[in-house]
């Protein structure tokens, strides 16, 4: 296998950042944009949730196809193409169908993330999955942060359609660069293609199923809050484009920092379950605290801590999803993982939209805090079960040694 050059890694990093920037350049202004166009809160919840709804059905088959053909690049090209189409659909005026279609297409775009993660993991040696996922999480957060920071400025400085126009242009640039990507030779020659007989084995991987359940709940919280209704709460407090940008920065910067240092600092000290559990309990507290936020400053504080908390568990869950899976099945495993957590991306904002209609935005935030509490409870249960299993294994080994 020829090593991946620094230029190729830089190219991949650039494409990844453009990919996420194009998808998130309109996210902070999306719910206010739809509200200003006269759409109801339940419909806004449907539009926000449709992004995850598509991924529930597309990501897993896409991962299987990627493993079946042993190719990642074509799916990355597809991702950049659908990112551009998604933004353009939002620009078509005067009908409820187009914003829904635009967000559905964004879901197709996000489904190709399977190929991005598996290709990048293949750039690293065995045992370095955690490091690879930490790095790519930083790329993800960087692209999302750039896009979301641009969003308010574009909307205020130009017009409400400007974020979608710029998003389409960014995606077009990423599409051209994607054609220049190269895949490692092992992906193409040395590794056998994924057989359908292997899918059952991948799907039954215990760690994959556990982290998928946690990720469903984590993404439910995320898409109810910062990627859902938090900007609308800020707007109700009188926040314009500049304050929305501040809110995004307050969330994304701690999120990026935590994603960068989690594998290096926190996991070696507190272990996987300890770090993930800490992230969930902090996220639960901050989401519940949003109900009592009576000023923009307090809202910003909750999002800063929430961003850091989610940066603790998101990269770890991503890495654990493929840790125990052999290379030929990793896209399948990642596809299943991402398809399952898309349930949270869809159901979180969808259910919160209906709760918000009856009880105001605080109803949705309380629901989000309940999801976080459920995730923390699962972490505690699985951690205790793992400790018990470990103690029994040690006791059994000692018993065998004494008999010997």
């Amino acid at each position: 296998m020829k090593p991946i050059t620094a230029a190729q890694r830089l190219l991949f990093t650039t494409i990844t950042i453009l990919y996420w920037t194009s998808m998130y350049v309109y996210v902070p202004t999306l719910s206010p944009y739809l509200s200003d166009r006269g759409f109801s809160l339940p419909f806004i919840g449907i539009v926000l949730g449709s992004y995850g709804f598509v991924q529930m059905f597309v990501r897993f088959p896409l991962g299987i196809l990627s493993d079946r053909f042993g190719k990642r690049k074509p799916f990355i090209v597809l991702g950049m193409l659908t990112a551009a189409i998604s933004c353009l659909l939002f620009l078509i005026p005067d009908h409820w169908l187009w914003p829904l279609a635009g967000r559905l297409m964004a879901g197709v775009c996000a489904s190709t993330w399977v190929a991005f993660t598996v290709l990048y993991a293949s750039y690293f040696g065995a045992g370095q999955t955690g490091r690879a996922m930490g790095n790519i999480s930083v790329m993800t957060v960087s692209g999302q942060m750039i896009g979301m920071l641009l969003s308010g400025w574009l909307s205020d400085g130009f017009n409400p359609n400007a974020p979608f126009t710029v998003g389409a242009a960014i995606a077009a640039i990423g599409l051209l660069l994607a054609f220049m990507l190269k895949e490692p030779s092992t992906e193409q020659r040395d590794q056998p293609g994924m057989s359908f007989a292997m899918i059952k084995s991948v799907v039954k991987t215990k760690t994959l199923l556990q982290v998928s359940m946690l990720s469903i709940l984590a993404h439910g919280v995320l898409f109810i809050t910062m990627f859902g209704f938090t900007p609308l709460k800020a707007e109700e407090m009188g926040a314009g484009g500049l304050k929305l940008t501040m809110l995004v920065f307050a969330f994304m910067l701690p999120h990026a920092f935590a994603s960068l240092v989690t594998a290096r600092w926190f996991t070696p000290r507190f272990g996987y379950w300890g770090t993930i559990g800490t992230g969930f309990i902090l996220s639960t507290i901050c989401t519940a605290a949003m109900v009592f936020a009576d000023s923009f400053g307090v809202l910003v504080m909750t999002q800063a801590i929430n961003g850091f908390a989610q940066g603790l568990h998101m990269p770890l869950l991503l890495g654990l999803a493929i840790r125990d899976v052999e290379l030929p099945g990793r896209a399948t495993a990642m596809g299943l993982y991402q398809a399952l957590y898309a349930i949270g991306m869809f159901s979180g904002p969808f259910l919160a939209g209906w709760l918000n209609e009856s009880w105001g935005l605080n109803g949705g935030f309380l629901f989000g805090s309940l999801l976080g509490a459920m995730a923390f409870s699962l972490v505690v249960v699985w951690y205790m079960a793992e400790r018990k299993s470990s103690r029994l294994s040690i006791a059994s080994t000692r018993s065998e040694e004494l008999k010997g």
Side-chain angles (χ1 to χ4, degrees), residues 4-13 123 180-183:
I4 292 297
T5 64
Q8 275 292 309
R9 290 198 184 199
L10 178 60
L11 177 63
F12 179 91
T13 300
Y123 291 173
M180 301 166 61
L181 269 178
K182 294 180 181 177
E183 300 191 52

Side-chain angles (χ1 to χ4, degrees), residues 2-227:
K2 293 182 180 179
I4 292 297
T5 64
Q8 275 292 309
R9 290 198 184 199
L10 178 60
L11 177 63
F12 179 91
T13 300
T14 303
I15 293 167
T16 301
I17 291 173
L18 292 174
Y19 171 80
W20 286 110
T21 300
S22 65
M23 274 199 290
Y24 277 75
V25 70
Y26 60 81
V27 166
T29 57
L30 181 57
S31 53
Y33 172 80
L34 295 173
S35 180
D36 291 343
R37 288 181 62 179
F39 295 116
S40 67
L41 285 173
F43 178 76
I44 293 173
I46 290 171
V47 172
L48 295 175
S50 66
Y51 174 73
F53 183 78
V54 171
Q55 294 174 58
M56 287 164 50
F57 300 100
V58 175
R59 274 182 156 164
F60 188 40
L62 190 148
I64 293 174
L65 285 174
S66 180
D67 276 334
R68 185 70 174 168
F69 298 121
K71 299 286 186 180
R72 319 301 179 195
K73 178 179 173 178
F75 300 96
I76 292 173
V77 171
L78 175 65
M80 299 312 308
L81 176 63
T82 49
I85 294 171
S86 167
C87 291
L88 293 174
L89 286 170
F90 278 102
L91 295 174
I92 303 175
D94 300 332
H95 201 284
W96 61 267
L97 177 63
W98 302 118
L100 180 60
R103 203 60 182 147
L104 288 167
M105 186 60 69
V108 176
C109 171
S111 298
T112 65
W113 182 236
V114 173
F116 282 81
T117 51
V118 176
L119 178 60
Y120 190 69
S122 71
Y123 291 173
F124 292 77
Q128 292 186 301
T129 302
R131 179 187 167 196
M133 293 303 100
N135 290 349
I136 203 170
S137 292
V138 174
M139 297 176 208
T140 300
V141 174
S142 298
Q144 291 172 346
M145 183 164 62
I146 292 168
M148 294 172 79
L149 289 174
L150 285 172
S151 185
W153 173 71
L154 289 168
S155 183
D156 271 9
F158 297 92
N159 60 66
N161 288 330
F164 304 107
T165 304
V166 171
I170 291 170
I173 295 170
L175 176 62
L176 295 176
L177 293 176
F179 286 108
M180 301 166 61
L181 269 178
K182 294 180 181 177
E183 300 191 52
S185 56
T186 52
E187 287 281 296
Q188 298 170 357
R189 300 186 189 95
D190 302 337
Q191 296 295 330
M194 179 69 171
S195 68
F196 288 108
M198 295 169 65
I199 295 173
K200 184 177 179 180
S201 174
V202 170
V203 168
K204 292 170 66 176
T205 305
K206 179 182 177 181
T207 305
L208 170 61
L209 296 177
Q210 286 179 330
V211 299
S212 295
M213 184 67 229
L214 293 176
S215 205
I216 290 171
L217 298 169
H219 282 81
V221 175
L222 181 60
F223 278 78
I224 288 170
T225 56
M226 194 62 232
F227 294 167

Side-chain angles (χ1 to χ4, degrees), residues 257-271:
F257 175 75
S259 297
L260 183 63
V261 302
T262 291
R264 295 176 176 88
W265 293 359
F266 295 103
T267 309
R269 291 169 175 80
F270 305 109

Side-chain angles (χ1 to χ4, degrees), residues 141-382:
V141 174
S142 298
Q144 291 172 346
M145 183 164 62
I146 292 168
M148 294 172 79
L149 289 174
L150 285 172
S151 185
W153 173 71
L154 289 168
S155 183
D156 271 9
F158 297 92
N159 60 66
N161 288 330
F164 304 107
T165 304
V166 171
I170 291 170
I173 295 170
L175 176 62
L176 295 176
L177 293 176
F179 286 108
M180 301 166 61
L181 269 178
K182 294 180 181 177
E183 300 191 52
S185 56
T186 52
E187 287 281 296
Q188 298 170 357
R189 300 186 189 95
D190 302 337
Q191 296 295 330
M194 179 69 171
S195 68
F196 288 108
M198 295 169 65
I199 295 173
K200 184 177 179 180
S201 174
V202 170
V203 168
K204 292 170 66 176
T205 305
K206 179 182 177 181
T207 305
L208 170 61
L209 296 177
Q210 286 179 330
V211 299
S212 295
M213 184 67 229
L214 293 176
S215 205
I216 290 171
L217 298 169
H219 282 81
V221 175
L222 181 60
F223 278 78
I224 288 170
T225 56
M226 194 62 232
F227 294 167
F229 294 100
T230 299
L232 199 55
K233 184 176 180 72
E235 189 183 56
E236 288 185 352
M237 292 177 170
L242 179 60
K243 284 192 172 182
L244 284 176
T245 299
M246 290 171 56
L247 185 68
V248 168
F249 193 77
F251 178 87
M252 299 302 289
L253 190 60
H255 188 75
F257 175 75
S259 297
L260 183 63
V261 302
T262 291
R264 295 176 176 88
W265 293 359
F266 295 103
T267 309
R269 291 169 175 80
F270 305 109
Y272 285 105
W273 291 126
T275 305
I276 292 170
T278 300
F280 274 117
I281 194 63
L282 286 174
S283 182
T284 299
I285 293 169
C286 289
T287 304
M290 291 174 65
V291 174
F292 307 100
D294 55 0
S295 69
F296 181 73
V298 174
L299 184 64
V300 166
M301 188 180 302
T302 64
Q303 294 313 289
I305 301 173
N306 209 353
F308 180 82
Q310 295 191 23
L312 288 178
H313 57 63
M314 289 288 192
L316 292 184
L317 295 175
L318 187 66
L320 287 170
I322 59 174
R323 185 191 64 180
D324 299 334
V325 179
E326 296 297 325
L327 186 60
R330 282 190 167 182
T332 298
M334 188 60 76
L336 175 63
Y337 170 71
Q338 294 182 5
L340 288 175
Y341 77 54
I343 295 172
M345 296 162 65
F346 161 68
S347 61
F350 177 77
L351 294 173
W354 290 101
L355 289 171
N356 292 342
E357 181 75 2
S358 301
W359 291 293
L361 292 176
N362 289 339
F365 297 139
L366 282 174
F367 175 61
S369 67
L370 176 62
L371 296 181
M374 289 171 60
F376 177 72
S377 300
L378 287 175
V379 170
V380 171
V381 169
W382 289 335

